[in-house]
Amino acid sequence: MSRRMGCAGFLYRAFAALALAVAGFPAHAQSIQLALPVACEPGRTCYIQNYTAVAGFPAHAQSIQLALPVACEPGRTCYIQNYTDLDPSRSARDYKCGTLTYDDHNGTDFRLPSLAVQKAGVDVRAAAGGRILRTRNDAADGAFTKSGHEAVREAECGNGVVIEHPEQWETQYCHLAAGSVLVKPGDKVDLGQPIGRVGLSGLTEYPHLHFTVRHNGAVVDPFAYGVRPESCEGGQSLWLAALRPKLEYQERAILNAGFTTGPVTMELIEDGSAESQKPSAGSMAIVAFVRAIGLKAGDAQWLVIKDPLDSVIAENRSPPLQANKAQFMLFAGKKRPPGGWERGSYKATYVVERDGQIVLRKDLELML
């Protein structure tokens, strides 16, 4: 018998008589007053490791602590596009009772700014240590955008990994790049270990990691574990303490912004072409563009460009949105004047207004 088991047996024998003596007595029976059974100072020279599990009431499982599952900087090189849907009906709401989710969405979507960033390679990492349960590594990137839902039926996750953690926790990683998965079932992984790369496989239209957390087989929100139904506050964050400020909830965000040399489309932003075509003194046009995510019905947008003399040379005012938008693109520009471009600093300002208040802003500068 181990020393630890011997100690446990001793404690059981020491208190067995007490347990038997009170068995069957009603709750109002006189209670015993106990002295500390160990010669120590609690919190300094001894600590309570575990408490008693009361019959009929399961002991509270230790919660998992999660690291960021993507090698990126939230709010700069990756963004949360969607959270877990916490509404049990056909409606949808995120953990702040906001609009950043959709019906039955069972995870958190960490989105990359563009396909160009994805193609350069962004690691997916184990959010906690554990053992690999399942993997898939043979789904093609972009099958959904090319061929529709039938191309990914029964394989909506695309290339993915499922990791088993202690205390019945599980994490799942979806939409990994084709051929990028680095682990196999049975492998042990450490927190932060690369397990693949962000891709475009499965049911997705943009490069992102879909990250799901489960406990005892049920989906939980890592931003609000245990939150009361219908509550917009509370619950426990499962993210590591140092990571939580970086993952603060943002209703809206700017995914891409910059100057380019011609008309802008969503495709040019997505493949990185718009940001790569920087205007110069010889360019035929100067165009400012912005792509935002999480915009709400009623949001009004305004984009203006000023020249080095502080004169407005282009602007685009968008009427209030009629519906929530997962993403929205706006641009404004001017063709080169006959005398050429004035040398100096060109400044663009993008603003989202709601109820007379600025709720999102981005300032850009171009030097010629």
Side-chain angles (χ1 to χ4, degrees):
M1 180 180 294
S2 71
R3 187 177 301 271
R4 178 180 176 185
M5 288 298 293
C7 178
F10 170 79
L11 290 175
Y12 174 82
R13 289 191 295 273
F15 290 99
L18 173 62
L20 289 171
V22 300
F25 276 66
H28 61 263
Q30 184 176 0
S31 59
I32 190 171
Q33 297 294 303
L34 300 175
L36 191 68
V38 184
C40 66
E41 183 180 342
R44 193 176 71 85
T45 59
C46 65
Y47 305 84
I48 296 176
Q49 178 72 45
N50 294 298
Y51 292 87
T52 304
V54 180
F57 295 88
H60 191 275
Q62 182 178 358
S63 60
I64 195 171
Q65 293 291 292
L66 301 171
L68 193 67
V70 187
C72 64
E73 183 180 340
R76 197 178 71 84
T77 59
C78 65
Y79 303 82
I80 296 178
Q81 178 75 53
N82 294 298
Y83 294 89
T84 304
D85 175 22
L86 297 180
D87 192 316
S89 74
R90 296 186 65 179
S91 299
R93 63 177 176 84
D94 59 43
Y95 77 104
K96 289 288 190 180
C97 293
T99 65
L100 299 180
T101 189
Y102 54 88
D103 189 29
D104 283 338
H105 189 248
N106 69 353
T108 305
D109 288 344
F110 292 92
R111 180 174 183 172
L112 301 184
S114 68
L115 277 170
V117 173
Q118 182 266 322
K119 290 177 180 178
V122 177
D123 284 343
V124 173
R125 297 171 173 173
R131 183 177 66 89
I132 303 299
L133 281 182
R134 297 182 296 278
T135 65
R136 181 180 183 131
N137 198 26
D138 60 358
D141 282 315
F144 174 70
T145 56
K146 295 174 184 175
S147 306
H149 195 277
E150 284 300 318
V152 297
R153 187 173 298 278
E154 305 299 329
E156 285 84 354
C157 176
N159 299 309
V161 174
V162 177
I163 304 178
E164 177 187 50
H165 309 282
E167 301 285 348
Q168 303 300 311
W169 289 94
E170 184 179 288
T171 54
Q172 182 174 359
Y173 310 75
C174 291
H175 309 314
L176 275 60
S180 74
V181 175
L182 302 173
V183 292
K184 62 184 185 302
D187 287 352
K188 291 185 178 180
V189 292
D190 297 323
L191 180 151
Q193 179 177 328
I195 58 175
R197 295 194 310 276
V198 177
L200 200 67
S201 62
L203 184 58
T204 179
E205 298 178 284
Y206 52 84
H208 74 283
L209 172 71
H210 176 92
F211 177 69
T212 300
V213 181
R214 296 183 179 88
H215 187 230
N216 290 322
V219 172
V220 301
D221 188 343
F223 289 87
Y225 173 55
V227 67
R228 295 191 313 255
E230 308 303 325
S231 174
C232 302
E233 299 291 342
Q236 176 188 358
S237 173
L238 299 180
W239 301 106
L240 291 169
L243 187 59
R244 293 171 195 172
K246 301 177 183 179
L247 294 175
E248 284 290 333
Y249 184 83
Q250 293 188 17
E251 289 188 286
R252 306 163 181 82
I254 294 171
L255 197 63
N256 312 89
F259 287 96
T260 190
T261 58
V264 180
T265 64
M266 199 70 82
E267 291 73 22
L268 289 175
I269 295 175
E270 190 61 61
D271 69 18
S273 297
E275 292 186 64
S276 66
Q277 298 171 4
K278 299 293 184 185
S280 65
S283 295
M284 296 302 296
I286 292 177
V287 178
F289 68 91
V290 174
R291 177 166 62 165
I293 59 176
L295 298 184
K296 322 298 180 190
D299 286 352
Q301 302 169 83
W302 176 49
L303 178 61
V304 61
I305 306 176
K306 293 184 178 181
D307 66 13
L309 302 177
D310 204 36
S311 298
V312 174
I313 62 171
E315 65 178 321
N316 187 349
R317 289 183 180 270
S318 177
L321 295 174
Q322 298 301 304
N324 298 331
K325 296 292 182 181
Q327 63 177 4
F328 196 93
M329 180 267 293
L330 194 69
F331 70 92
K334 180 178 176 61
K335 293 182 178 180
R336 185 176 65 186
W341 298 111
E342 190 79 34
R343 297 303 178 96
S345 172
Y346 288 77
K347 296 180 180 179
T349 300
Y350 169 76
V351 167
V352 178
E353 292 183 343
R354 184 177 185 84
D355 299 328
Q357 301 293 319
I358 295 176
V359 294
L360 190 64
R361 178 180 177 130
K362 180 72 173 181
D363 294 305
L364 304 168
E365 185 175 14
L366 170 71
M367 292 297 299
L368 290 185

